[in-house]
Amino acid sequence: MRVNFQVNGDPVAVDIEPRLHLADCLREVLRLTGTHLGCEHGACGACTVIVDGAAVRACLMLTVQADGASIVTVEGLSSDDALSPLQTAFRKHHALQCGFCTPGMLTTAHALLTEEPDVDADRIRSALSGNLCRCTGYIPIVEAVLEARAAYQKDRR
Amino acid sequence: MIGTNRYIGSPVERIEDLRFLRGRGQFVGDLQRESMLHAAILRSPVAHGLVAAIDATAALAIRGVRAVITAKDIGVVPRIPLRLLPLPGTERFLQPVIAADRDPGTGDVELLDCLVVEDVSRIVNPLTLHGQAIGGLVQGLGGAFLEHLVYDANGQLLAGNLADYLIPTATDFPKIRAIALENHRSPSNPLGVKGAGEGPIIPIGGLMANAVGNALASFGAMPNQLPLSPARVWHMSSGKQSTESLE
């Protein structure tokens, strides 16, 4: 089937099987391997991408459902030149070790901060509770997201 | 020239983070090479069976299957020796301090505070060291309270995926702390450093069992199994001393 959507600002058209889920389409067809597959049944959150502003599990969404949508993956969060303020805060607070959950953490946190730039630590923990991380213990991730709030608050003004 | 190097002992951000944060880290599942083959590992469906022979003809007849590799093709696997004792002259890590309480209605345990103090000799990068301590602590807490390897009567694992096997999430253990001391430099190398990584995993199970036992002392509870799930804690706080009869 022919499906048209935008990925990180660029229009793309793919010919795919109707059963192909969005994460496999991003990884195998478009070769955007930043979106990771941990469990493929919605438990781990590593495949989270942003579809029309909402954080979505790409392993639970069919590619055909994305027809006409605008998708942001981890590759679209920053330019080649500089990390985004959220990414910079992750690095400063050592909010990643092996890096496998990081794309899902970043996309989930980016969607949250875009909607709610004034979130408190409890709300951040609740929003990230669908993203599993085995390395960090979550403390540094929450600290990084708290610090990145300032950039999103500025964007809104 | 100990103490004059401006990098040793300072928080240094990691170089590999730049590619991980941009989605350009290369994990095995991301690799794509010309003529690449995929492998799948098949295990016996019987947990304690003795494999007498494996007939691969049906598998080899499937279109696209290039090879079936069994133990017979590998031959003798060498024994890899383990070093089980610490080097003489190194100090063991000491135990964390903890405080726990439990919900008398549900048996859910809330961690009120948990402080890990490690004497790690000389600290090279405090940023990554702290990450190891906090990360190891939460992994230990997962083993103490959540992570339950459930097997059926035939020895089959019933909690074999991330929906059934609960590892900690961001909401589970917010009240934890870790600090590191530099009181005992290692005598075994010129820098005076030791390895430190996820050390708190080791004592946490026993410590949490002691903390829960202490909280339930009036019931005479003696936790003797992990994880300390709400069902087990509730069981012990209703007058049963241990959890042995619960399974």
Side-chain angles (χ1 to χ4, degrees), chain B residues 62-117:
Chain B
I62 298 170
R63 194 165 61 93
V65 172
R66 302 286 186 89
V68 175
I69 300 166
T70 66
K72 215 166 63 183
D73 302 300
I74 293 170
V76 180
V77 180
R79 278 182 77 91
I80 301 167
L82 290 174
R83 181 168 65 78
L84 295 172
L85 296 171
L87 291 171
T90 53
E91 298 275 338
R92 278 178 303 162
F93 292 132
L94 300 179
Q95 293 198 332
V97 185
I98 46 111
D101 199 0
R102 58 95 178 77
D103 183 325
T106 64
D108 193 28
V109 176
E110 183 187 354
L111 196 63
L112 301 176
D113 192 9
C114 183
L115 172 61
V116 170
V117 183

Side-chain angles (χ1 to χ4, degrees), chain B:
Chain B
M1 297 296 286
I2 285 174
T4 59
N5 185 306
R6 69 194 172 97
Y7 291 117
I8 305 278
S10 307
V12 177
E13 294 178 354
R14 304 189 313 169
I15 293 166
E16 63 267 38
D17 286 359
L18 295 172
R19 58 177 193 272
F20 286 146
L21 287 163
R22 290 184 166 106
R24 292 180 199 155
Q26 281 260 296
F27 295 81
V28 175
D30 301 330
L31 297 176
Q32 201 172 57
R33 297 286 182 266
E34 210 179 316
S35 310
M36 190 168 84
L37 300 176
H38 294 268
I41 295 173
L42 297 180
R43 295 185 173 86
S44 164
V46 182
H48 298 292
L50 182 68
V51 179
I54 297 174
D55 183 358
T57 38
L60 284 165
I62 298 170
R63 194 165 61 93
V65 172
R66 302 286 186 89
V68 175
I69 300 166
T70 66
K72 215 166 63 183
D73 302 300
I74 293 170
V76 180
V77 180
R79 278 182 77 91
I80 301 167
L82 290 174
R83 181 168 65 78
L84 295 172
L85 296 171
L87 291 171
T90 53
E91 298 275 338
R92 278 178 303 162
F93 292 132
L94 300 179
Q95 293 198 332
V97 185
I98 46 111
D101 199 0
R102 58 95 178 77
D103 183 325
T106 64
D108 193 28
V109 176
E110 183 187 354
L111 196 63
L112 301 176
D113 192 9
C114 183
L115 172 61
V116 170
V117 183
E118 290 180 299
D119 188 342
V120 297
S121 73
R122 195 172 182 204
I123 300 171
V124 176
N125 187 347
L127 188 65
T128 52
L129 173 67
H130 188 252
Q132 290 294 308
I134 290 286
L137 174 54
V138 171
Q139 204 171 135
L141 289 167
F145 290 113
L146 300 169
E147 299 174 30
H148 198 174
L149 292 163
V150 183
Y151 295 88
D152 72 10
N154 294 320
Q156 288 296 334
L157 181 63
L158 300 177
N161 64 58
L162 290 170
D164 297 332
Y165 183 77
L166 303 180
I167 75 167
T169 70
T171 49
D172 286 321
F173 302 112
K175 295 170 188 166
I176 53 173
R177 296 176 287 155
I179 55 175
L181 307 175
E182 297 184 286
N183 286 342
H184 297 90
R185 297 219 165 171
S186 171
S188 65
N189 62 80
L191 263 181
V193 297
K194 290 186 207 170
E198 299 182 338
I201 293 177
I202 298 163
I204 285 295
L207 287 166
M208 291 300 140
N210 284 342
V212 169
N214 189 48
L216 300 179
S218 59
F219 299 100
M222 288 281 280
N224 56 4
Q225 277 180 310
L226 298 178
L228 297 155
S229 61
R232 285 175 172 169
V233 172
W234 185 86
H235 188 75
M236 287 188 289
S237 64
S238 60
K240 308 292 192 301
Q241 289 197 342
S242 75
T243 58
E244 265 166 9
S245 60
L246 185 65
E247 303 307 311

Side-chain angles (χ1 to χ4, degrees), chain A residues 37-48 57-60 129-132, chain B residues 162-163:
Chain A
L37 279 169
C39 69
E40 285 198 80
H41 57 207
C44 79
C47 67
T48 307
R57 297 232 190 304
C59 76
L60 296 183
S129 66
N131 292 70
L132 299 179
Chain B
L162 290 170

